[in-house]
Every structure is written in structure tokens, then in C-alpha cells.
Amino acid sequence: MSEHQKAPTPLDPRIFDSDEFQRDPFPVYKVLRDHHPIFHDRFHNRWIISRYEDVDACFQDNESFDRAMYKPDGPYEFGKRHVFGPNILEYGNSDEHRRLRNIVAGQFVGQKLQDFLPMIDQISQEVIDRFIGEGEVELVRQFSSQVPIRVISNMMALPREDEDTFVGWYQALIAGLGFGGEHLLRGVQARNEMWDYIDPLIKERSKNPGEDLLSRICVSEVAGSRMTAEEIKGFVALLLAAGGDTTDKAIANMWYHLLYTRPEQIQDVRENPDLWENVFSEMMRYDAVVHAQFRYTTREVKLHDEVIPERAGVILYLGAGNRDELVFENPDVFDIHRQDLHMGRENRSGRYKDGKAGHLGFGIGQHFCMGYAMARQESAIACRRLMDRIKNPRPKYIDHPGITSPSIDSGGFRAPSELHMEFECEG
């Protein structure tokens, strides 16, 4: 049998449920890319796409791939089965999704985002003040999980004394993204408590808006259309949980890679703080916070001599595409000086003037992450401020279990569960 006639390496779909895959999915990703670029997982009743160009093409093809499970004009009551309640994600490629996205997307880019940067800096400094004198920090609990939620609550001009309450709601909402049970019940309870809290604020700021983010969302409109109070509450839950958790995990992952994966590059970042932008980009490629997005086919799709049927579930493995050897040289090496990755600000087209490929971590096309610019700015600012105030950062423990996916019964994204660092204070 000739080389190109060899049977592909078999893949047991039960591997996707294993602890081994949760800890280190990259060997499986390589088998998928090399031997099963379109893999029909009959055990879980889904199709898997893993190569960079194929994932990119699926993101761009909204006529064939939709993220919505239900039709917007059908009998399903939107938000009924989601811990966030009714939110923009459930509307897929519909006109309603475009309406809601157009109303709010502009609040997270350009000058409107720039207005909040001094506050992001202030919150980062305040969080650092809590542990800077101790000479060590557990970065996840004391830093990365604290900054984003406090930033979001302050962007919405919520009382500073309630920040800890918002952190608690955030943690419950994230856990509620899992597969049900007690996590879902606590998540729904946290959501309802948060809705009761912000409902009078929505009414007041709709009448007397300020310059805060909640006011802007309340009064923002496109073609005379505003979000309803229920839509605003669903969006705030999404912003608090999904937006906050993405940035939380991004900060933790950035520090993990500098401390454990490429510690020799820490000095490069210290000498040139602008390299935090590169750390963010390479983290989003090498082991991003989000590794997969789910889609449903709207019609039969032919790809690599396979035909995916209509209304089939499809997993787009961003984490696999980001390690594609056909796109990135030495993809299994974390390198903030990489020359074949677009290191600057992302855009929804995924096409860049420098001709380099970008990471897939924010998606591409119609469902490109609205908070991409805020996540990048917030992560870079928080990390830069911490580095400004410490010297000789180093792992407290030689061994570390690494970045892992969360347990199957609770939500969240890939990140270290703990990250202990020692340091000396500057000055």
C-alpha cells in the first residue's frame, strides 16, 4: 500500500470525554487535522472541523452555518433554558441578532472604549494594592478574577460597595453554564438576584442617562429601535459572565505562559511593555480561552469529500485551527516574537494588511466577539500595571498542572485553576 493510500489513524470519539483531553487536547487536534479534517463523531452525534482554513471558511459562511438552535419566530420562549436569560447569542444569524448587535456593538470600540481606559487602569491598581506588600500572589483568585468584574461594574456605574456582590454573581453565572444540576440552579438564582438589582437602574437611566455603559446601552438605538428592559438584562448577564470570564482567563493564561512556558521572555516584556499586546495575541493562538464554537448546518454542506447533512451539529475547533502547521511555523511553540501571526488589533474579517494570519480565538464574521477590543485593552493594561510594580516575578512552585478545561458539570473556559507567583516590590 502506498503512503497516500494508508488508512487514517483511527479516533475513538470517547476521547473527547476524557480527563486526558481536558488537560491536553492538542495531540487529538493533530490527529483530527492530519487524518480527519471532517470527523463524523457518531458517538456524540456531531461533526468536527479542525483545520484553520476550514474553520475560517465556516465562520464566513452564514448561509450554511448558524449558531441558533431555535428559530426566532418559532414557539420557543427565548432565554427559557439559558442561565443568562434571553440574550443575543440565541438569535443566531437572524435579523433580530443583527438588530441587537448593531445597537450595542459600538459601545466597546473606538472613543467610547477609550473613555473607560483610565478607569481600567485605576481598578487594576486598586486590586494590586490588596496584595502588593505580601511578596506573593495567587494570580487567579487575587488578580485575574477580580479586575474584569470590577471594571464592568464600574463601567456601568454601579456602587463601589457592591463590587464583591457582582463578583459572587459572576462566579455563579459561570458555573451555571455547565450541564445543569445544582450549578444551574445557583446560576439562575444569581441571575434573578442581579436582575432585581439592576431593574430599577434600567428604568432610571432610560429616563435620565449618564455617561456610564448601562446608560449608553439603555438609550442606544439603531433606526429608532432600542433594546427592551428584558433584552438589556440578558445582555448585562452575558457581559458580566461571558465578557468577564474571557478576560479573567486571558490574564491568567498570559501570566501562566510567561511563568512556565517561556520564562526567558519575561525580561523582554519587562524591557518593552508594549509586548503585552504580543503576549495576548500569542496566548489567543497557542492556547486560547475558548477552544470551540458550535454551529448547526442550514443545508447540506460538502467539505473534503464529506457531506454534512442539514441541521447537523458542528464543532469548529478554534484551538485545533490555531495550531495548524499549514498556517503557522512551529505551532506548538509559544513565542511572543512570532513573525507569522498578526499581533495587532483583531477585526471581524480575519484579513489583515500585513498579510499574516490572525488567531481564531474571537471567531470571525457575523458573530465575531463584540468585546474583542475591551478584552485586549483590559488584559494588556492590567498585566502592564502589575509588571510595573514588581520585579523578579517567578513561580512559587516548580511544578504546575497547567491550563485545563473546567469540570464537565460547570461552565467556564480553559485556564489554570491556580497560579502562585512570588516577587519583590519595585522601589
Side-chain angles (χ1 to χ4, degrees):
M1 183 179 289
S2 65
E3 181 68 25
H4 69 276
Q5 290 176 320
K6 287 183 179 179
T9 300
L11 185 65
D12 186 334
R14 289 173 295 183
I15 189 67
F16 298 111
D17 299 328
S18 68
D19 291 339
E20 175 188 0
F21 182 77
Q22 298 304 306
R23 290 191 303 269
D24 183 12
F26 298 103
V28 177
Y29 290 164
K30 181 169 177 55
V31 172
L32 286 168
R33 289 193 307 269
D34 290 350
H35 302 284
H36 310 278
I38 305 299
F39 179 63
H40 187 190
D41 177 353
R42 291 177 171 83
F43 185 71
H44 298 96
N45 191 28
R46 62 192 182 184
W47 296 73
I48 293 174
I49 297 175
S50 54
R51 289 182 181 171
Y52 183 99
E53 295 297 340
D54 294 334
V55 172
D56 174 84
C58 293
F59 273 132
Q60 304 281 4
D61 186 3
N62 290 311
E63 295 300 316
S64 302
F65 296 91
D66 194 352
R67 74 183 304 163
M69 180 180 296
Y70 296 97
K71 295 180 179 180
D73 56 353
Y76 173 66
E77 181 183 346
F78 274 79
K80 183 178 181 179
R81 297 180 181 176
H82 203 293
V83 69
F84 297 162
N87 67 86
I88 192 171
L89 298 182
E90 287 200 295
Y91 287 104
N93 300 336
S94 66
D95 292 339
E96 184 64 11
H97 171 269
R98 283 185 283 274
R99 180 186 77 86
L100 293 172
R101 184 183 178 100
N102 289 338
I103 290 173
V104 298
Q107 305 301 324
F108 303 98
V109 295
Q111 186 57 51
K112 291 184 178 180
L113 174 59
Q114 294 296 314
D115 292 342
F116 290 117
L117 296 189
M119 184 266 293
I120 295 175
D121 189 294
Q122 177 188 341
I123 297 297
S124 299
Q125 299 279 21
E126 291 176 358
V127 172
I128 294 168
D129 285 341
R130 296 184 173 196
F131 61 77
I132 191 65
E134 299 175 8
E136 65 177 81
V137 59
E138 199 285 278
L139 279 160
V140 174
R141 177 176 57 83
Q142 295 179 269
F143 184 60
S144 71
S145 66
Q146 297 294 321
V147 172
I149 305 309
R150 296 179 191 280
V151 165
I152 290 173
S153 66
N154 277 271
M155 289 176 71
M156 293 191 292
L158 303 179
R160 296 298 306 271
E161 61 268 21
D162 293 338
E163 285 180 15
D164 289 339
T165 300
F166 259 72
V167 171
W169 285 335
Y170 150 69
Q171 292 169 343
L173 285 169
I174 289 301
L177 287 173
F179 290 85
E182 61 182 280
H183 296 286
L184 177 61
L185 293 177
R186 286 198 295 266
V188 170
Q189 180 181 354
R191 179 198 71 191
N192 292 339
E193 290 174 359
M194 184 185 67
W195 281 3
D196 289 342
Y197 179 95
I198 67 171
D199 190 59
L201 298 178
I202 291 172
K203 294 176 181 177
E204 171 60 26
R205 295 185 193 182
S206 295
K207 295 178 181 178
N208 302 297
E211 291 301 316
D212 60 276
L213 180 60
L214 182 58
S215 292
R216 292 179 179 182
I217 293 172
C218 288
V219 301
S220 181
E221 61 181 56
V222 172
S225 175
R226 292 186 181 184
M227 295 179 79
T228 66
E230 293 304 307
E231 289 169 341
I232 293 171
K233 287 188 283 189
F235 185 77
V236 169
L238 175 64
L239 176 65
L240 179 68
D245 204 42
T246 301
T247 308
D248 165 6
K249 303 303 191 284
I251 294 171
N253 289 0
M254 290 162 73
W255 278 98
Y256 170 80
H257 287 306
L258 286 182
L259 290 171
Y260 283 97
T261 307
R262 293 300 294 274
E264 72 275 13
Q265 293 188 348
I266 287 182
Q267 188 60 30
D268 296 343
V269 179
R270 173 173 288 282
E271 293 174 357
N272 181 9
D274 289 343
L275 285 175
W276 278 114
E277 297 279 344
N278 291 34
V279 179
F280 182 87
S281 295
E282 178 66 343
M283 176 276 299
M284 292 292 286
R285 182 202 70 83
Y286 184 78
D287 194 353
V289 175
V290 178
H291 272 224
Q293 288 199 22
F294 204 83
R295 293 291 188 270
Y296 296 92
T297 53
T298 60
R299 55 192 179 191
E300 290 186 347
V301 178
K302 185 175 182 180
L303 197 59
H304 292 292
D305 296 324
E306 291 275 9
V307 177
I308 306 174
E310 182 178 354
R311 293 307 296 168
V314 178
I315 286 186
L316 306 179
Y317 264 126
L318 324 180
N322 279 330
R323 294 280 190 103
D324 194 333
E325 299 89 340
L326 299 177
V327 178
F328 301 108
E329 185 177 356
N330 298 319
D332 295 325
V333 175
F334 182 86
D335 184 7
I336 65 173
H337 302 296
R338 178 176 291 278
Q339 294 299 305
D340 56 3
L341 173 68
H342 175 74
M343 291 290 189
R345 188 177 64 179
E346 300 82 1
N347 65 48
R348 66 189 298 175
S349 74
R351 307 293 184 263
Y352 302 101
K353 293 180 180 179
D354 57 18
K356 300 175 182 179
H359 67 78
L360 297 169
F362 286 135
I364 293 172
Q366 181 175 332
H367 297 283
F368 178 68
C369 176
M370 285 187 295
Y372 74 99
M374 187 171 75
R376 173 178 283 274
Q377 289 271 29
E378 190 174 343
S379 298
I381 289 172
C383 292
R384 185 169 184 164
R385 288 298 163 257
L386 179 55
M387 185 69 93
D388 285 345
R389 298 184 62 180
I390 63 176
K391 58 184 179 181
N392 191 25
R394 57 200 181 274
K396 182 175 181 179
Y397 305 111
I398 296 176
D399 297 321
H400 192 283
I403 290 176
T404 60
S405 297
S407 63
I408 195 170
D409 62 345
S410 63
F413 307 125
R414 279 182 62 84
S417 58
E418 291 184 336
L419 190 55
H420 293 268
M421 182 178 74
E422 296 179 326
F423 56 85
E424 282 85 48
C425 298
E426 278 290 352

